[in-house]
Amino acid sequence: MPIKVKGDLPAKAVIESENIFIMDETRAIKQDIRPLKIALLNLMPLKHETEIQFLRALSNTPLQVDMTFVCVESYESKNTPASHLNQFYSTFSDIKDKKFDGLIITGAPVEQMEFEEVAYWEELKEIMEWSDKNVTSTLHVCWGAQAGLYYHYGIKKRGLSEKMFGIFEHNVLHRKVPLVRGFDDVFKAPHSRHTESDTEAIKACDRLTVLAESDVAGPFIIIGDEGKRIFVTGHPEYDRNTLDGEYKRDKGKGLDIKVPVNYYKDDNPENPPLLTWRGHANGLYTNWLDYYVYQVTPYEL
C-alpha cells in the first residue's frame, strides 16, 4: 500500500527518488476505495487446488478482493465435478457484459499442442480480446502467458528437449519497475513446462519488457503495454508440494520424468520439498494488485 504524507514534506522527494510509492494528502483525500473485482479464468484440471493457490497469493494485501471464478464453455472438465463448477463458476457468457479491475488467466496442460488445436482456443481468443476493453490489467500465467504472447504479439512457442521442471534462480533486470519492487537481485520460482515462448522475439518486441529472467529457464516476468498485460512464464502460485505431486504422478504412470531441480533437499525425492519462493511470489501478486490494478483502475467500472 502507498504511504500518505503531506505534499511538501522534504523526505517525500528522497523516498520517491528511491522508487517507493508516496501518495500526498491531496490525492489521498480524493481517492475512493472499493473492493477490487478480479476474475480468475481457471484452465487447470484440478480447479479446487488452483483456487486455493491463487487465493493464497492474492490474500497478502490489505485491499479487498472480490473474486469471480470463470471456466470455459467449449470444453468439459474431466477432473472437476460439474456440481462444483455449477455452484462456484461463471462462464464467459455470464460475465462478458461486465467489467473487471483484473483478470488472471492460468496455465493449462495443453502446451505440447498447437494453440489452434486446443479445444477452447477460439473462446480463449474471444476472452483475451474482450479483456482489452473490459479489464484494467490481465495477468497471464505459464501456458496462459504463452497463449497471451502469441495472441497479442504473435510470439510463437517451441518445444524443449526436456521438461523445464523445478525451482530456478532468476535475475531482476529493471528494479525500478513497480511490478518487481521489493525483489532481491536474485530470487527463485517454480517452472513446470515442456515448451517456451521465443526469447528473441520477446526481446525484439518494443511493446514488451523482460523484468526478470533465468539463465536456464529464460524470461520469467514480462510486462506489456505499460502493465495492461503481464506475463509470468512459471508458477509462482504453486504450493510447497505441487511439484512433488506432479513428479510422483508422472513416475506412477511410468513416464520418463527427472527429479525437479533445486526442490528436494540434496535433490533426493525421499526428502520433503523445500519452500524457497513464497516471499517473492507474494510480492509479485501484491505488486500487481496494488500498482497495476488498484492505483489505475477507475472507481466506476
Side-chain angles (χ1 to χ4, degrees):
M1 289 290 285
I3 301 172
K4 181 173 78 71
V5 298
K6 291 184 179 297
D8 56 354
L9 180 72
K12 178 172 177 282
V14 177
I15 295 299
E16 286 180 331
S17 71
E18 297 174 6
N19 209 37
I20 295 173
F21 185 37
I22 292 287
M23 179 185 294
D24 65 38
E25 57 188 353
T26 302
R27 179 176 176 184
I29 291 171
K30 295 179 178 179
Q31 189 173 51
D32 291 315
I33 298 174
R34 59 163 175 78
L36 296 175
K37 294 186 178 296
I38 306 295
L40 175 70
L41 177 60
N42 193 347
L43 303 175
M44 294 292 277
L46 301 177
K47 297 196 180 333
H48 177 62
E49 180 179 299
T50 302
E51 293 160 14
I52 293 172
Q53 291 171 359
F54 278 101
L55 288 176
R56 283 178 179 152
L58 296 173
S59 68
N60 288 283
T61 169
L63 299 171
Q64 294 184 43
V65 176
D66 182 0
M67 292 293 299
T68 298
F69 295 110
V70 184
C71 61
V72 294
E73 297 175 83
S74 45
Y75 180 78
E76 183 177 346
S77 176
K78 296 181 175 63
N79 298 280
T80 302
S83 59
H84 182 84
L85 298 177
N86 292 336
Q87 183 174 358
F88 298 110
Y89 277 73
S90 301
T91 64
F92 180 55
S93 296
D94 297 326
I95 68 165
K96 64 182 181 181
D97 295 325
K98 300 179 181 180
K99 293 184 182 294
F100 289 85
D101 302 299
L103 169 67
I104 299 172
I105 300 177
T106 73
V110 294
E111 58 187 288
Q112 291 177 288
M113 302 170 62
E114 295 297 328
F115 292 115
E116 292 79 7
E117 295 175 354
V118 175
Y120 47 80
W121 177 245
E122 292 301 318
E123 182 179 0
L124 180 56
K125 285 167 55 180
E126 187 179 359
I127 292 171
M128 290 190 288
E129 182 68 23
W130 165 86
S131 72
D132 272 351
K133 294 183 179 180
N134 294 278
V135 178
T136 300
S137 179
T138 300
L139 178 63
H140 302 250
V141 180
C142 202
W143 182 82
Q146 295 181 355
L149 288 168
Y150 178 64
Y151 177 72
H152 291 293
Y153 306 96
I155 294 173
K156 297 180 180 180
K157 64 181 174 70
R158 56 196 175 201
L160 297 170
S161 57
E162 63 180 40
K163 186 176 183 179
M164 192 70 65
F165 192 41
I167 311 302
F168 298 90
E169 287 192 344
H170 303 78
N171 303 298
V172 174
L173 303 181
H174 296 277
R175 173 160 302 286
K176 290 191 175 182
V177 176
L179 190 60
V180 292
R181 184 166 289 159
F183 278 44
D184 295 325
D185 290 339
V186 179
F187 66 96
K188 296 179 180 180
H191 288 261
S192 177
R193 52 187 168 80
H194 294 274
T195 56
E196 65 178 3
S197 295
D198 187 330
T199 299
E200 292 75 16
I202 291 171
K203 293 184 175 181
C205 180
D206 58 8
R207 294 167 59 197
L208 297 171
T209 302
V210 178
L211 301 183
E213 68 178 354
S214 164
D215 293 340
V216 178
F220 176 60
I221 303 173
I222 305 154
I223 190 168
D225 297 304
E226 299 181 341
K228 178 69 176 176
R229 307 181 192 95
I230 290 167
F231 307 92
V232 179
T233 63
H235 282 286
E237 79 283 358
Y238 268 8
D239 291 332
R240 176 193 301 270
N241 294 312
T242 307
L243 292 182
D244 180 63
E246 290 183 9
Y247 172 69
K248 291 176 179 176
R249 176 200 65 199
D250 289 350
K251 285 290 287 184
K253 291 180 179 179
L255 300 177
D256 183 19
I257 180 73
K258 292 185 178 180
V259 173
V261 300
N262 303 319
Y263 181 53
Y264 302 108
K265 183 178 180 181
D266 301 323
D267 288 327
N268 181 354
E270 297 300 318
N271 291 325
L274 297 173
L275 182 60
T276 58
W277 62 92
R278 178 62 55 79
H280 284 84
N282 288 342
L284 174 63
Y285 288 105
T286 298
N287 287 346
W288 174 65
L289 280 178
D290 191 359
Y291 300 115
Y292 297 90
V293 181
Y294 171 68
Q295 296 297 336
V296 296
T297 197
Y299 182 76
E300 295 291 343
L301 278 172

